[in-house]
Amino acid sequence: RNKIRVNVMNSEKVKELLKKGILPTTEKLSKEIVVVKSKNKDLKSNLKIVKEFHYKPKKVEPKDFTEHYRERYKFMRNVLFSRPEAANTTSIERINAGFSKEEKSIIGMVSDVIRLPTGTLKLTVEDLTGQIDLIISSKNQELIEKAQFLTLDETLIFKGRPAKDVMFVSEIIWPDIPQSPATYSPEEVYAVFSGDIHVGSNNFLPNEFKTFIDWFSGKVGNERQKEIAKKTKYFFIPGDLVDGVGIYPSQEKELIIKDLREQYNELAKYISQIPDDKEIIICPGNHDTCVRLEEPQPQMYEYAEAIAELPNVTMVTNPSYTNIHSQDNYQGQDVLMYHGYSFDQLIDQVDGLRLAGGYEKAEEIHKFLLKRRHLSPTHNLNLTLPMKKDPHTIEKIPDIMVSGHIHKAIIGNYKNTISISGSCWQSTTKFQEKVGHKPDPGMIPILNLKTRKSNMMSFK
C-alpha cells in the first residue's frame, strides 16, 4: 500500500530531504516521482476479521429449520442459565405434570402472543419437552408494559405460579448482555461510520458525499477536523453502497445509472480518493443486488470488483465481527456490523419499539437486539438461511455495534457497547415521504477509540 517509486538519480536527494524532516514532493525533486509517502511515526491501522458467516448452498428441507431453531434455543438457554434468576428453572414437561403452589421458572421460546379483550396477555411458549400457555394479567400493569417488547421466537425466562395447564407470570427475564468493562486505545485514533450511500439513485447526494471524501484527505474542515481526519484509520460502511437494480417496482424511473456494475464503478471513483492509510470495511445490504438478499449475505466481489480491488478495502459478510487497532497490551475493539434489514418488520411488529420512537430511535433498536442476544429474533423479519449455527445470535459481546438501513445517524451506549446507526447519502425518496420516514443524510458518527467519546459531523 505504501510503496515509494522514485527515479534512482534522485535517491540521494530523497535521503537528504528526509533526514531534514522534509516530505519530498514533485516540486522538490523531479516530475519523475510518482508518489512519495512520509516515513514519520504516523498512526498505523490494524484490522482483523474475527468472525464471518458463510452458507454452503444446499437443498433446504423442513428439518433444516427445525435444527436451526433447536440450536438457537440451546444457545439462548445456556446464556440464560448463567443468570441468577435461572436458579430454580424446570422444564415445561414437569410444569405440566402436576400442580404446584410454589413459583417456578421456565426457559421458553415464544410461539404465540394473544391480547384478550380484557387486556390480559396469553402467551404460548415451548422448550424441548413441550409447550404451555402463560397468562400475564392486565392488573399487573408494570409487566404488561414490559410485555409490549415481546416478539415471537425469542427465548426468555418466565417466572410465575403454575396452575392447571397454565402458568401465571410474575416476571420476564431476557438473555441480555453483561455490563462489560470498557477498553481504551493507548493512542488517539478514530473510527468513522457511514450509512447507506445509494449511488445510482436520482436522490444520491454527490456534492455532499464528495465533501466527505475530501475531508478524509484534509482538504476541508477546520484545523481540529483536519486533525481528526488524519487520525482516522477505520471507515465502516454497513451496506447499501448502491441503489441496485430491480429492488422495487418501477425503480428504473428513479435511477440515473441503470447498470449495476456501473453503479459500483461510480462509487469506486469516490472511495479510491480516500487515503490508503484508512481501512475501509464494507458489508452488503438489501440494495446490493450483487449478492443474495437472504442472510447471511456473502462478501461483495462480483459486479463490485472496482471497489473490492482497492488496496485499503476489506469486504466482509453481513453480519460480521471485526477487531480494530489491537496492539501490545491492548486487545482492540470488537465491532459487530449488521446492515439492519430486520429493523423494518421489527418496528412494525413490536409495540414497545414504535412507542419508544421507532425509526427515530435506532439506539433503542440496538438495545432491544442486544437484550435478546439476536439480530433478527422473529422468523419473518427477513429472509434467513437455516444454518445450524445461527449467524444472527450475538454470541460475542461487541465493543461497538454498527448498522445502517434506516437512514438515521444516532450514537448510543448500552452497558458499554457503543451503539452506532449510520446515516445516508440519499435525499428523501417518494416512498419515505409516503410512509412519513424522515432520513438524516450527510451525518457522520465519529468515535475516538482512546476516550470512547463520540460526536457527529455534518456534511449537509
Side-chain angles (χ1 to χ4, degrees), residues 1 11 25 29 115 165 247 308 365 372 378 396 430:
R1 295 178 185 175
S11 59
T25 66
L29 294 172
R115 183 177 293 277
D165 299 324
I247 304 296
I365 301 174
R372 282 147 187 82
T378 303
K396 186 175 182 64
K430 292 179 181 179

Side-chain angles (χ1 to χ4, degrees), residues 277-448:
D277 67 323
K278 324 292 185 190
E279 295 281 359
I280 306 170
I281 306 98
I282 300 172
C283 80
N286 58 293
H287 277 257
D288 293 304
T289 49
C290 62
V291 298
R292 61 174 177 258
L293 182 59
E294 295 88 354
E295 296 175 6
Q297 291 176 288
Q299 306 99 322
M300 290 183 289
Y301 293 114
E302 189 176 3
Y303 290 94
E305 300 96 337
I307 297 173
E309 292 170 0
L310 293 173
N312 53 337
V313 166
T314 298
M315 296 291 195
V316 295
T317 64
N318 174 41
S320 64
Y321 285 85
T322 53
N323 179 277
I324 55 175
H325 217 65
S326 66
Q327 51 191 271
D328 292 343
N329 303 317
Y330 173 56
Q331 63 186 16
Q333 310 255 349
D334 287 328
V335 183
L336 167 58
M337 183 159 61
Y338 175 59
H339 176 66
Y341 192 45
S342 66
F343 295 179
D344 295 318
Q345 292 296 325
L346 202 60
I347 293 169
D348 181 61
Q349 294 179 18
V350 180
D351 293 340
L353 279 179
R354 286 198 306 279
L355 294 172
Y359 287 109
E360 304 298 313
K361 293 288 185 179
E363 71 274 29
E364 291 296 325
I365 301 174
H366 285 194
K367 177 181 176 181
F368 177 93
L369 298 175
L370 289 168
K371 287 185 73 172
R372 282 147 187 82
R373 301 289 290 271
H374 205 277
L375 296 169
S376 185
T378 303
H379 174 71
N380 67 350
L381 295 181
N382 56 12
L383 297 173
T384 303
L385 294 164
M387 299 173 65
K388 183 175 181 180
K389 191 172 183 62
D390 190 341
H392 290 106
T393 54
I394 304 176
E395 188 171 349
K396 186 175 182 64
I397 310 304
D399 298 290
I400 304 164
M401 178 178 178
V402 57
S403 67
H405 190 63
I406 63 174
H407 293 203
K408 298 292 291 188
I410 296 173
I411 303 168
N413 191 311
Y414 179 64
K415 295 188 175 181
N416 279 336
T417 290
I418 295 174
S419 163
I420 293 177
S421 173
S423 177
C424 64
W425 298 99
Q426 182 184 44
S427 60
T428 307
T429 65
K430 292 179 181 179
F431 174 78
Q432 290 166 337
E433 288 178 353
K434 184 178 179 180
V435 299
H437 181 36
K438 299 177 182 178
D440 196 14
M443 300 295 291
I444 291 293
I446 299 174
L447 176 64
N448 184 334

Side-chain angles (χ1 to χ4, degrees), residues 184-204:
Y184 301 89
S185 167
E187 53 193 1
E188 186 180 356
V189 62
Y190 293 85
V192 302
F193 306 84
S194 177
D196 307 33
I197 304 173
H198 288 280
V199 169
S201 166
N202 58 13
N203 290 101
F204 173 57

